[in-house]
Amino acid sequence: MATLEKLPILPSGHAKMQAELQKLKTVDRPEVVQAIEEARAHGDLSENAEYHAAKERQGQIEAQIIELEDQLARAQVIDPTTLSGDKVVFGATVDLLDEDDKKVVYQIVGPYEADAKQGRISYTSPLGRALIGRRVGEEVEVSTPSGDRYYEIAKLSFI
């Protein structure tokens, strides 16, 4: 369901969304239309599994297109290299020390761009929400399924 809320996104995430939308419209949509036409040519549609599968895929593609168009319309592109300050904000890269003084580094990104394995966490994630607005030297507590975790903000950069 569409909302009017702005969707912060990095330039790379915005470009990726646009490329995905372009692919859906110019490659996937025409392929599924062709598959539907071929399945129709096989006769009785009521028992035609290929036709029903293609129609279902068409619905999925159209839903993805609508969702991406909505997200792009609400996108607020934020380039972290233009930011500065001493507080954690969207786009910031944060060096954290955990309870064992192990260093972990995360960049605060939008939900669409999040990939913890790549060091990119959403500002809507529990850790992302705990970090936003904090400064270097502050400690944050995060409730996770495996228990509470504590981190100290060691460094803040905008890259």
Side-chain angles (χ1 to χ4, degrees):
M1 188 151 62
T3 65
L4 298 176
E5 182 181 323
K6 284 288 182 193
L7 180 68
I9 192 166
L10 298 176
S12 61
H14 190 261
K16 185 178 171 187
M17 274 180 143
Q18 287 180 316
E20 186 176 339
L21 179 62
Q22 186 68 19
K23 180 184 175 290
L24 285 168
K25 286 183 168 183
T26 61
V27 177
D28 296 349
R29 184 188 267 167
E31 281 178 358
V32 80
V33 167
Q34 181 64 33
I36 289 170
E37 287 176 12
E38 287 175 14
R40 270 196 184 128
H42 294 284
D44 185 11
L45 299 181
S46 65
E47 295 181 19
N48 188 331
E50 290 175 7
Y51 174 78
H52 293 289
K55 288 296 281 183
E56 186 173 322
R57 177 71 182 128
Q58 182 182 39
Q60 292 168 345
I61 289 170
E62 294 304 322
Q64 284 179 288
I65 288 171
I66 289 168
E67 183 177 343
L68 281 171
E69 286 176 339
D70 173 61
Q71 289 175 343
L72 285 167
R74 295 183 297 118
Q76 179 180 1
V77 180
I78 297 173
D79 183 354
T81 61
T82 65
L83 304 174
S84 63
D86 61 349
K87 286 185 177 180
V88 177
V89 295
F90 178 87
T93 300
V94 186
D95 293 28
L96 303 171
L97 296 175
D98 68 9
E99 294 123 345
D100 304 322
D101 283 336
K102 280 185 13 192
K103 180 178 158 185
V104 291
V105 179
Y106 292 116
Q107 182 177 29
I108 310 297
V109 298
Y112 178 79
E113 305 163 282
D115 183 352
K117 291 178 184 167
Q118 297 290 324
R120 298 161 71 95
I121 61 169
S122 171
Y123 66 92
T124 61
S125 71
L127 181 56
R129 286 194 313 265
L131 290 171
I132 295 289
R134 301 294 184 100
R135 291 183 159 83
V136 172
E138 286 190 50
E139 288 188 8
V140 294
E141 177 183 351
V142 182
S143 295
T144 67
S146 60
D148 290 347
R149 303 278 312 208
Y150 299 89
Y151 296 96
E152 180 184 342
I153 301 173
K155 181 181 168 191
L156 179 63
S157 54
F158 300 93
I159 50 176

